Each structure stands twice: as structure tokens, then as C-alpha cells.
Amino acid sequence: FGLSNKFDTEFPSVLTGKVAPEEFKTSISRVNTCLRKNLPINVKWLLCGCLCCCCTLGCSLWPVVCLNKRTRRSIQKLLEWENNRLYHKLGLHWKLSKRKCETSNMMEYVILIEFLPKYPIFRPD
């Protein structure tokens, strides 16, 4: 369904001077913990759904779709919490985004880190 089982904790060079490497690693570790908690359950339901797919005309895959959606939502909530806690103050915005894989036509979810524009505070209204 496009969610990876963990995100890379390597500090990107573009964030040098913007975020402390420890803060970045802590945030990614929180996301990876959420994935580690939820994905084994999804895999078990996927296997069960695939085995029963013919008998149920595909309806046995609905729990997997719902669990995947719940996992995505929990990661989005976690990223929003991280944004409010730290990253918006630093002029950054983290979000979960869907993009096409480089090697195939499949879609995958990635964490995008966007730079927020700075507002001129000395400009008159």
C-alpha cells in the first residue's frame, strides 16, 4: 500500500544549520516506532485477506485497507504534532506525501520536509 516499514534516520545535508541532528533522529525514530507497532498487524491481515480473497470476492481485503489508512493517519498526526512542537518555529514543515517510485510505476509514501516562507515583519500593513 505504499508505506515503507521504516524511514531512513540519516541526517540530510540540506537541514544542516536548520535542525539539530539529534532532533531529526528523534522525530524519525518516533515515526519508525509508530510504523513498527502497526505494520506487523497489517501484514497478518493482508495474508489472511489474500487467502480468503476468492471466497469473499475481495471483501476480506477491506480490513487491510482500513488498517493502512489508520496507520497513515497516525503518522500524519504525529508529524503535525512534531510540526507544532518544533519545526514550524524553525521555518520547516514535515508532511507525509505520496509519490511515484523511481524504479517502477508503483506509488510510495515519503516524508517531505518543506521550508516555510519567512514573512517580513517590518513591512507596513
Side-chain angles (χ1 to χ4, degrees), residues 18 28 36 47 72 78 88 91 100 112 114 119 122:
K18 298 273 187 193
I28 292 292
R36 192 173 32 250
L47 290 174
R72 274 195 332 262
L78 177 65
H88 281 174
K100 199 173 195 175
L112 287 181
E114 299 173 334
Y119 296 106
F122 297 113

Side-chain angles (χ1 to χ4, degrees), residues 4-12 20-38 74-75 78-79 81-82 85 87 94 111 113:
S4 59
N5 57 352
K6 76 176 200 169
F7 289 102
D8 191 14
T9 57
E10 184 180 325
F11 186 72
E22 298 82 24
E23 286 291 339
F24 175 83
K25 190 169 184 168
T26 302
S27 298
I28 292 292
S29 295
R30 284 187 182 119
V31 172
N32 285 341
T33 301
C34 180
L35 284 171
R36 192 173 32 250
K37 249 190 316 185
N38 292 323
S74 65
I75 291 173
L78 177 65
L79 291 177
W81 180 79
E82 290 283 346
R85 182 184 69 88
Y87 294 109
W94 288 39
I111 295 178
I113 303 173

Side-chain angles (χ1 to χ4, degrees), residues 20-104:
E22 298 82 24
E23 286 291 339
F24 175 83
K25 190 169 184 168
T26 302
S27 298
I28 292 292
S29 295
R30 284 187 182 119
V31 172
N32 285 341
T33 301
C34 180
L35 284 171
R36 192 173 32 250
K37 249 190 316 185
N38 292 323
L39 284 181
I41 297 167
N42 293 8
V43 171
K44 289 176 187 173
W45 276 101
L46 180 63
L47 290 174
C48 180
C50 288
L51 291 174
C52 302
C53 188
C54 295
C55 300
T56 62
L57 301 174
C59 292
S60 59
L61 293 175
W62 274 109
V64 180
V65 172
C66 293
L67 286 170
N68 187 47
K69 188 174 183 179
R70 187 178 77 178
T71 303
R72 274 195 332 262
R73 233 178 304 154
S74 65
I75 291 173
Q76 288 169 341
K77 283 182 181 181
L78 177 65
L79 291 177
E80 192 58 40
W81 180 79
E82 290 283 346
N83 283 331
N84 291 331
R85 182 184 69 88
L86 175 69
Y87 294 109
H88 281 174
K89 296 171 189 168
L90 299 174
L92 299 171
H93 179 76
W94 288 39
K95 70 177 185 177
L96 193 65
S97 179
K98 196 184 238 188
R99 77 163 187 200
K100 199 173 195 175
C101 290
E102 297 170 357
T103 56
S104 68

